Amino acid sequence: MSGYIGRFAPSPTGPLHAGSMVAALASWLDAKAHQGTWIVRIEDLDQDRCVKGIDQFILQQLTKCQLLSTEPVQWQSKRVRGYESAFETLNELNLIYPCHCTRAKILSELLGNGGQLTRNQSKIYPGTCRSLEFKDHEDLHIQGAAWRFKVTPGPLVWEDRRLGIQHQDVSAEVGDFIIKRSDCVWAYQLSVVVDDAQSKITHIVRGADLVDNTARQIQLQKALGYPVPKYLHTQLLLGPNGEKLSKQNGAAPANTSHPLECLNTAAQTLGLQMQSSSVSEALAFWSEQWLERYP
Ligand code: GLU
């Protein structure tokens, strides 16, 4: 075993579809190519969006494709202590604050500056609650509040193994983002960073739809003193309308009764030139392209 530890982190909001199989296969291939560990983590914190029993269905889909977690499967719902402790650390560092802003309030604040907003601009948090003072956790204002992370201004530069150098000014493009929701659910940005650090993940391989989250996650990793893993964001499998496949737009479950076909579609999306549909061929192609001699 090398020091490589990777992971696949599906949300159990529906079965894996052909697009999620791409991320599953890529992260598995990268771990195998580096003779590393591959952990499956079920991201089930948002209970309202999770579908009962789908976690087991996802694990069956992976098993049928022989994509097997090297370590015991993790469920985020059983790991909240880690998020609480990271929250306490950020609070001690004065890097988070409670916020009661509704979406409507944020929009009116942004529009107050005049003019029209693009879709991306309308998602930026203008920092309204950042300067409000709260005495302690018992303060009435804190009840029912969301908690936001104070982002560092200026461009953050990081390198994606496939996409190359990436830049994002989180402060200008996103603003202070939520790490704990007002309904007390731990937000994806915090939970993913804490779990990756606790599991000592060295390499994150996931779909390019998540690339925009990476600068936020690196800011949190730095604030919490965690190492920054290496990132590779894969190609996305697009539907007939050119849109990314997703559970929201009704993508069909991956048909894992035909595992080789399923893996072959995923391998093609990853640009692996397969002659026959075999996992060992996919692994050989992946290694040729992505094996790092000194990961
Ligand atoms: N749970 C996320 C999803 O299903 C993936 C998180 C990640 O890989 O960072 O989209």
Side-chain angles (χ1 to χ4, degrees), residues 7-13 41 43 76 188 192 196 204-207 209-210 217 247:
R7 49 61 158 191
F8 173 56
S11 304
T13 52
R41 180 173 74 225
E43 302 209 318
Q76 285 194 318
Y188 161 64
V192 80
D196 287 336
I204 292 178
V205 177
R206 60 186 180 189
D209 52 327
L210 293 167
Q217 293 170 11
K247 291 163 199 162

Side-chain angles (χ1 to χ4, degrees), residues 23 84 110 121 163 182 195 225:
E84 283 163 5
L110 289 168
Q121 282 170 332
L163 303 170
S182 59
D195 283 331

Side-chain angles (χ1 to χ4, degrees), residues 182-224:
S182 59
D183 57 2
C184 288
V185 175
W186 296 103
Y188 161 64
Q189 307 295 354
L190 182 74
S191 58
V192 80
V193 159
V194 170
D195 283 331
D196 287 336
Q198 284 190 345
S199 302
K200 302 192 169 25
I201 300 297
T202 57
H203 291 69
I204 292 178
V205 177
R206 60 186 180 189
D209 52 327
L210 293 167
V211 73
D212 179 56
N213 294 280
T214 308
R216 270 172 275 176
Q217 293 170 11
I218 293 176
Q219 282 218 0
L220 276 178
Q221 286 154 358
K222 291 190 168 162
L224 288 161

